[in-house]
Amino acid sequence: MISGDFMLFPQLNESRWLFSLDGIWNFTLGGEAFDENAPKSIIKKSEKIYVPASYNDQKADARFRDHYGWVYYQTAFALPAISNARIMLRFGAVTHACRVYLNGEEIAEHTGGFLPFEVEITDLLNAGENLLTVAVCNIIDSTTLPVGNEIKQSMFGSGLPHFESVKATKIKPRNYPNFDFFNYSGIHRSVCIYTTPKEHIDDVTVTTEINGDSAAVTVKTDVENASVVIFDAEKNEVACGKSGEALTITNVHLWQPGKAYLYTAKITYKNDCYTQKFGVRSVEVKGDKFLINGAPFYFKGFGKHEDSETNGRGINEVLNIKDLSLMKWIGANSFRTSHYPYSEEMLSLCDEEGIVVIAETPAVGLGKESYGKLGNAHKKVVEDMISRDKNHPSIVMWSLANEPYTEEDCAYDYFMPLYNLAHKTDPQSRPVTVVVCNNDYTKDKTAVAMDVICINRYYGWYIFGGDLDAAKQAMTAEMNYFSKYGKPLIITEYGADTISGMHSAVPGMFSEEYQVEYYKCINSVLDSFEFVIGEHAWNFADFQTVQGTMRADGNKKGIFTRDRKPKLAAHYFRSRWQNKK
Ligand code: GCB
């Protein structure tokens, strides 16, 4: 059994145990085809690998970095005697698809690399040692999110006659991402075992409504008649009642960008209890403004990645702390979880730190042909992401996709049901968007149908590279075009690759000075349009990508280096953002 609908973050409390399986596991690289025998026995000649983290950069070995296909993880554990409980095995994220085996028997299968899944193991455990094996596949193609290209071999030279002899020999298959970040893979987030009483709470949904100085708070659960007690941040009880009832908090403290305030709901049902943090805040799009708690909000910040040296895309909580601290240092107030749902741990940290988040699905790289091929995958990831993340006050908008092809009506027909689904699934009905970057923006009907128009644009880099005068004119023309829709617009990406330490008196592409001049130029355009309600520089930090002629050890558009050193542009943004609105 796999549960995907209800995704309460595991917790240790009076009624629930929580055991971590993170640590050093046994590991072996497999091939393109799934090996039936690998999960059945202890992996022979295994290597050591750390969980959670990508496996790609943990070894000084290109076979790990460039691996294509299946890998096998294994660990053994024993549990203390636990009676009368339901025992769950939970994975925070395994990228991209996996099969899970307990003591040689397959117990779960999951597709989608950025959201949690869990399986009940109460009746499957041995009294002593248990063997847990996880087979993980990293193949991406036109049916997966994110989308991969349908080629498996090195592209260079293909089609040229004198390369036919090379092609005829065995060239190792590889993934060709249709996106610009490294296809890091493996067990990326924590693995744990947790218990609940047999009769238990599976889902909690908190909604709030501000009425003057007070707020009505409703805590819904999947079980009937749970009792609810609400505590303020100082742990004083401020309201109590039953699940489903509107409870009143008087003299309410709002959750504000940069000034977070969290309440805690303690929910008790029979012998089970669960505590859920929440914030009281409102989000609304009105005319061409984005209102948080009724006040216009200007998004200052970044598109980001979950990406770091050695960990790859694996959760890195130290870096999460550092990143939010650097955001405060630079005067940013927000980021987008480009291009996939980030860890629950990061979103909770944003709740605590008052950082505003645009949460994005892993739908990146969608060409026109994707619309017929993805089946229910996109719908499911929208539902699952919102079910997991609905209670985070930091999240103020959902992004359905990054840069899908939207120059034709088929895109509108594809995205409108997803737009409606997101609104329907979200108990707060937050604004919904899709982030676009079309060659001919005048043909796009999809982005402008969303609650907020979100545009990625690279005038002065990919288009008019090195010519900031032309970039300014093109950006002005595009903003003039979008101003007629009467909707708010965020520039969700703009940027220039910059090699840290490269300087030029006359700013040229790739130099730190050019990055500053580029941003000054584009920002001067953004500042002249009232309906522009945000600027997210691409990217917060340099990050790893597939190797290629366009990338020198990854994408260098970071305002910080990959190890979080500020480039010149960081100081420029710091003085801009500390003084802006
Ligand atoms: C984009 C993509 C982003 C890339 C960026 C770039 O438009 O959304 O994933 O990394 O451009 O730097 O090319």
Side-chain angles (χ1 to χ4, degrees):
M1 183 213 54
I2 292 208
S3 153
D5 297 332
F6 303 131
M7 278 295 137
L8 289 183
F9 192 69
Q11 61 184 217
L12 178 66
N13 65 27
E14 306 90 298
S15 62
R16 296 172 173 229
W17 287 99
L18 177 60
F19 309 99
S20 170
L21 295 184
D22 295 349
I24 294 177
W25 290 38
N26 291 324
F27 179 89
T28 188
L29 294 169
E32 183 175 352
F34 178 70
D35 176 1
E36 298 283 341
N37 295 318
K40 297 221 164 80
S41 57
I42 295 182
I43 301 168
K44 304 267 187 310
K45 293 192 207 140
S46 63
E47 308 249 5
K48 298 294 169 201
I49 211 93
Y50 187 75
V51 171
S54 305
Y55 55 77
N56 308 79
D57 290 350
Q58 289 194 47
K59 308 275 178 177
D61 186 339
R63 291 176 311 128
F64 283 72
R65 186 192 62 196
D66 300 336
H67 182 69
Y68 177 87
W70 290 88
V71 298
Y72 305 90
Y73 286 81
Q74 203 162 57
T75 192
F77 67 90
L79 290 183
I82 299 171
S83 56
N84 232 348
R86 167 178 163 266
I87 307 176
M88 303 295 291
L89 171 65
R90 186 190 204 260
F91 293 82
V94 181
T95 314
H96 297 282
C98 68
R99 297 179 189 172
V100 181
Y101 298 79
L102 189 61
N103 301 320
E105 293 302 315
E106 183 171 349
I107 56 165
E109 210 175 327
H110 187 259
T111 303
F114 304 93
L115 289 171
F117 63 93
E118 60 186 16
V119 54
E120 182 169 355
I121 55 170
T122 319
D123 300 326
L124 307 175
L125 289 161
N126 288 337
E129 194 172 82
N130 289 276
L131 189 63
L132 177 64
T133 309
V134 187
V136 184
C137 181
N138 76 348
I139 297 177
I140 43 169
D141 59 27
S142 60
T143 66
T144 59
L145 290 174
V147 176
N149 288 298
E150 289 288 345
I151 40 167
K152 289 196 210 159
Q153 293 186 339
S154 200
M155 289 190 286
F156 307 118
S158 60
L160 296 176
H162 50 283
F163 285 108
E164 287 308 314
S165 59
V166 180
K167 272 174 65 187
T169 63
K170 188 102 184 88
I171 299 180
K172 278 202 285 332
R174 304 168 78 111
N175 275 307
Y176 277 99
N178 200 27
F179 49 85
D180 183 37
F181 51 92
F182 193 87
N183 186 38
Y184 280 119
S185 308
I187 302 181
H188 276 162
R189 297 179 192 152
S190 288
V191 186
C192 71
I193 290 175
Y194 73 91
T195 69
T196 68
K198 296 269 183 206
E199 293 186 283
H200 57 272
I201 302 156
D202 251 336
D203 189 34
V204 173
T205 305
V206 185
T207 47
T208 63
E209 202 184 309
I210 304 165
N211 307 309
D213 287 346
S214 16
V217 178
T218 309
V219 179
K220 285 200 179 129
T221 59
D222 59 304
V223 290
E224 298 282 314
N225 246 344
S227 68
V228 176
V229 184
I230 296 175
F231 298 93
D232 66 13
E234 288 75 44
K235 300 195 188 303
N236 303 309
E237 183 178 325
V238 291
C240 68
K242 291 281 172 206
S243 56
E245 287 174 4
L247 309 175
T248 303
I249 302 181
T250 52
N251 297 322
V252 68
H253 298 272
L254 298 182
W255 187 95
Q256 313 254 34
K259 209 172 151 219
Y261 190 97
L262 295 177
Y263 290 92
T264 303
K266 180 165 184 182
I267 302 126
T268 309
Y269 173 70
K270 301 196 172 169
N271 291 325
D272 193 20
C273 71
Y274 190 82
T275 52
Q276 177 67 56
K277 288 193 176 180
F278 66 94
V280 179
R281 59 108 186 85
S282 66
V283 174
E284 187 192 353
V285 172
K286 206 169 184 182
D288 64 3
K289 295 284 166 276
F290 193 99
L291 308 179
I292 300 183
N293 300 327
F297 181 71
Y298 190 87
F299 292 79
K300 299 181 278 186
F302 307 94
K304 264 187 116 281
H305 267 299
E306 290 187 319
D307 170 278
S308 60
E309 288 282 348
T310 317
N311 294 50
R313 187 139 295 113
I315 187 166
N316 188 335
E317 295 211 69
V318 178
L319 206 62
N320 287 348
I321 297 265
K322 176 90 184 207
D323 285 1
L324 296 198
S325 160
L326 285 172
M327 281 194 210
K328 291 192 172 176
W329 172 84
I330 204 173
N333 57 19
S334 56
F335 69 89
R336 173 170 59 119
T337 71
S338 40
H339 296 309
Y340 36 79
Y342 286 10
S343 69
E344 295 150 288
E345 290 84 341
M346 179 54 146
L347 297 172
S348 297
L349 199 59
C350 292
D351 294 342
E352 301 275 354
E353 297 284 347
I355 296 285
V356 168
V357 175
I358 300 172
E360 187 159 274
T361 73
V364 52
L366 275 71
K368 196 164 135 187
E369 61 296 338
S370 310
Y371 298 140
K373 287 194 175 167
L374 288 168
N376 268 342
H378 203 160
K379 182 172 168 282
K380 182 155 174 27
V381 86
V382 168
E383 286 173 331
D384 288 356
M385 176 179 78
I386 296 176
S387 314
R388 188 194 70 161
D389 296 339
K390 61 191 171 187
N391 291 323
H392 289 288
S394 54
I395 298 178
V396 300
M397 181 155 68
W398 309 109
S399 161
L400 298 172
N402 181 70
E403 297 189 1
Y405 177 82
T406 54
E407 285 187 17
E408 287 177 48
D409 289 359
C410 59
Y412 180 88
D413 297 341
Y414 179 85
F415 276 102
M416 284 323 282
L418 291 173
Y419 168 90
N420 292 327
L421 177 71
H423 270 292
K424 196 175 114 224
T425 310
D426 180 8
Q428 296 182 21
S429 194
R430 294 165 176 89
V432 176
T433 192
V434 66
V435 171
V436 301
C437 182
N438 284 301
N439 287 334
D440 185 349
Y441 52 82
T442 64
K443 289 192 178 148
D444 184 314
K445 290 187 189 151
T446 311
V448 294
M450 299 288 134
D451 299 316
V452 176
I453 303 173
C454 287
I455 306 280
N456 296 345
R457 198 46 90 194
Y458 289 91
Y459 299 129
W461 190 254
Y462 295 119
I463 306 173
F464 303 126
D467 186 347
L468 293 178
D469 283 342
K472 188 168 183 169
Q473 288 176 47
M475 196 68 190
T476 308
E478 184 160 347
M479 291 305 104
N480 271 325
Y481 172 82
F482 281 111
S483 64
K484 70 180 182 209
Y485 288 95
K487 292 194 174 190
L489 180 145
I490 302 174
I491 296 297
T492 29
E493 283 183 25
Y494 62 133
D497 281 88
T498 304
I499 309 293
S500 166
M502 186 175 145
H503 292 283
S504 61
V506 181
M509 292 173 78
F510 292 100
S511 69
E512 296 205 27
E513 286 77 7
Y514 186 81
Q515 193 181 29
V516 171
E517 292 309 311
Y518 165 89
Y519 278 115
K520 280 186 181 165
C521 164
I522 303 298
N523 288 343
S524 73
V525 179
L526 304 185
D527 287 342
S528 60
F529 289 92
E530 284 281 313
F531 79 108
V532 174
I533 53 119
E535 55 197 55
H536 275 178
W538 187 258
N539 185 284
F540 174 75
D542 293 346
F543 58 93
Q544 198 49 270
T545 63
V546 70
Q547 296 184 62
T549 48
M550 297 274 282
R551 297 288 176 255
D553 189 26
N555 188 310
K556 294 283 189 249
K557 294 193 186 70
I559 301 300
F560 296 91
T561 59
R562 201 179 189 206
D563 60 355
R564 275 48 178 177
K565 302 280 190 321
K567 296 183 191 169
L568 210 53
H571 298 283
Y572 158 70
F573 269 116
R574 189 167 189 237
S575 64
R576 172 177 168 81
W577 285 342
Q578 283 183 339
N579 297 313
K580 193 168 167 59
K581 285 188 200 155

